[in-house]
Amino acid sequence: MSRSLSCSCYWGVVLSAQIVFAAIPRIDALGDLPGGQVRSVAYGISGDGRFVIGSSWTTGENNAEAFVWDAGSGMQRLAPGPGGLNSSQAADISADGNTIAGFREVLQNPNQPNGPTATQACLWKVGQGVTPLGSGNGYGGGIRAISDNGAVAVGWAWNFSALNGVRWTSASTSLTVVGGGSLEVNGISGDGSTLIDRSTHPNGEQAVIRRTASLPIALGLGTSGAALSYDGRVAVGSIPDSQGTLAFRWTQETGFVKFGYFYAAASDVSADGNTIVGVDHFSHTGGPDTAFVWTPQGGIQKVSDVLSRAGVDLSHWTILQYATAVSSDGTVIAGYGVNRFGQEEAFRAVIPEPAVAFFSVCALATLKRARETPRL
């Protein structure tokens, strides 16, 4: 009589190994663009986590240029296009990585080469270059967020003396003012149906959720909205609290779930609304800005701690300060921190998900039993 792994057990090990290898924890230091000081920051990530976008300083302390990064090509400059000056920012990217939204610097009057400049909302599209979304007149504008399919973009625009939240769709030729007291739109749901903005309040400012064909939902004085889940049902941001400022997760059914320490702010959320990233001080008395990841199961954790427990080498980094964006499935985080040379640098981190950890433990245990079982 012989003993061996059954087919079902064998395929369980193979499946487990595939899951583990599909999400091996790691961190990539993204470097910077040539020229100027060594400094880069990441602001967005594609749905599958392959592409990271942001800005890198090239010719001066206040002169950053937009970039896109992927593992194969490294950091690539996004050209400002005709009329654009050497200052730009990439703020968000579509799920497939083919459309990038942000702003570029342009002359307010193209006929005055040495005249005043303004920011201009724009899109970068693969194979098409730059698409300006505003004239740059007044004091300019910019895009903060874009829907998963790249067909809806939101942000802000100055009309000389007034700041307005704006929206753009692929069917339109210009930015449309959102209205209703909206000062700037910070986030949009993946399906493009819901916005979260910074709006006026009788005593200051507040976050407001605006859904298609629904009344706006005001979140209250002092709230700041950052991002929405794919269907717009989950909102994240920051809220004043007796302890300071805390990060929040909000749904219409549960209201606010607050978390964090002395100062915390959520910056992005996964498609299902269950993985949130941002920054916190991790101390009730203050401390350095530190990147966090939050899940219902694990609560708030430092991104560096999650990576360290997974065996990732963090010797290149002094501190991971800001987690600014997360992939659709919640396993890849973009942000920036301080490297061991004291320079601000963008990163891309792959973190283990609970299911992966569970399956990997099961796989290793099964393999161990298989090795220890003698063949007769």
Side-chain angles (χ1 to χ4, degrees):
M1 179 179 177
S2 65
R3 296 181 182 177
S4 61
L5 284 170
S6 68
C7 289
S8 60
C9 185
Y10 171 78
W11 286 114
V13 173
V14 172
L15 176 59
S16 299
Q18 288 176 338
I19 294 174
V20 172
F21 290 133
I24 299 175
R26 60 175 292 156
I27 187 168
D28 297 307
L30 306 192
D32 78 322
L33 294 174
Q37 60 180 306
V38 178
R39 184 184 179 192
S40 62
V41 296
Y43 295 122
I45 194 167
S46 59
D48 60 7
R50 290 176 54 206
F51 300 97
V52 176
I53 54 91
S55 293
S56 175
W57 278 249
T58 53
T59 59
E61 184 177 349
N62 298 315
N63 195 36
E65 294 191 69
F67 73 77
V68 60
W69 177 97
D70 72 89
S73 303
M75 187 176 289
Q76 302 292 314
R77 173 177 177 265
L78 293 170
L85 305 177
N86 291 327
S87 182
S88 56
Q89 178 179 302
D92 201 8
I93 184 170
S94 60
D96 61 8
N98 287 331
T99 305
I100 298 169
F103 59 82
R104 62 177 188 165
E105 186 179 20
V106 296
L107 291 168
Q108 288 191 35
N109 186 343
N111 297 320
Q112 297 178 359
N114 298 316
T117 63
T119 58
Q120 181 184 55
C122 65
L123 302 177
W124 288 269
K125 294 189 176 184
V126 173
Q128 298 181 33
V130 178
T131 302
L133 303 183
S135 66
N137 292 331
Y139 295 102
I143 297 300
R144 297 285 192 206
I146 192 170
S147 62
D148 275 14
N149 64 3
V152 186
V154 295
W156 52 275
W158 281 98
N159 183 13
F160 292 97
S161 61
L163 180 63
N164 297 284
V166 294
R167 181 175 181 267
W168 171 91
T169 70
S170 56
S172 64
T173 57
S174 61
L175 300 171
T176 302
V177 173
V178 172
S182 177
L183 299 174
E184 64 176 338
V185 185
N186 294 322
I188 186 170
S189 59
D191 63 9
S193 67
T194 310
L195 318 177
I196 187 165
D197 68 14
R198 178 167 68 94
S199 288
T200 57
H201 181 281
N203 297 314
E205 296 179 355
Q206 65 179 337
V208 174
I209 298 171
R210 302 176 189 272
R211 295 187 175 124
T212 304
S214 297
L215 292 174
I217 302 173
L219 298 188
L221 177 64
T223 54
S224 178
L228 298 163
S229 60
Y230 178 82
D231 60 7
R233 294 173 62 86
V234 179
V236 301
S238 62
I239 184 170
D241 185 82
S242 58
Q243 300 179 46
T245 300
L246 300 183
F248 73 74
R249 179 186 189 271
W250 178 95
T251 70
Q252 201 157 15
E253 294 77 21
T254 64
F256 288 103
V257 174
K258 305 176 187 178
F259 54 92
Y261 293 82
F262 179 74
Y263 173 82
S267 56
D268 199 15
V269 60
S270 60
D272 66 3
N274 286 327
T275 303
I276 301 169
V277 298
V279 60
D280 191 9
H281 285 175
F282 284 91
S283 168
H284 291 298
T285 58
D289 291 335
T290 305
F292 78 71
V293 56
W294 178 96
T295 63
Q297 301 87 358
I300 186 170
Q301 303 178 73
K302 295 179 182 180
V303 173
S304 56
D305 286 350
V306 174
L307 292 170
S308 293
R309 287 195 297 269
V312 176
D313 181 6
L314 295 175
S315 60
H316 178 73
W317 301 95
T318 299
I319 187 171
L320 303 181
Q321 290 185 301
Y322 299 95
T324 55
V326 65
S327 61
S328 294
D329 67 358
T331 64
V332 190
I333 299 170
Y336 53 102
V338 179
N339 62 29
R340 60 192 177 96
F341 305 107
Q343 301 157 337
E344 197 168 50
E345 185 175 4
F347 69 80
R348 172 186 177 272
V350 180
I351 62 172
E353 54 185 329
V356 170
F358 171 78
F359 279 117
S360 63
V361 169
C362 290
L364 292 173
T366 305
L367 285 171
K368 185 175 185 293
R369 287 197 301 271
R371 292 192 187 102
E372 292 174 349
T373 302
R375 291 180 179 273
L376 302 177

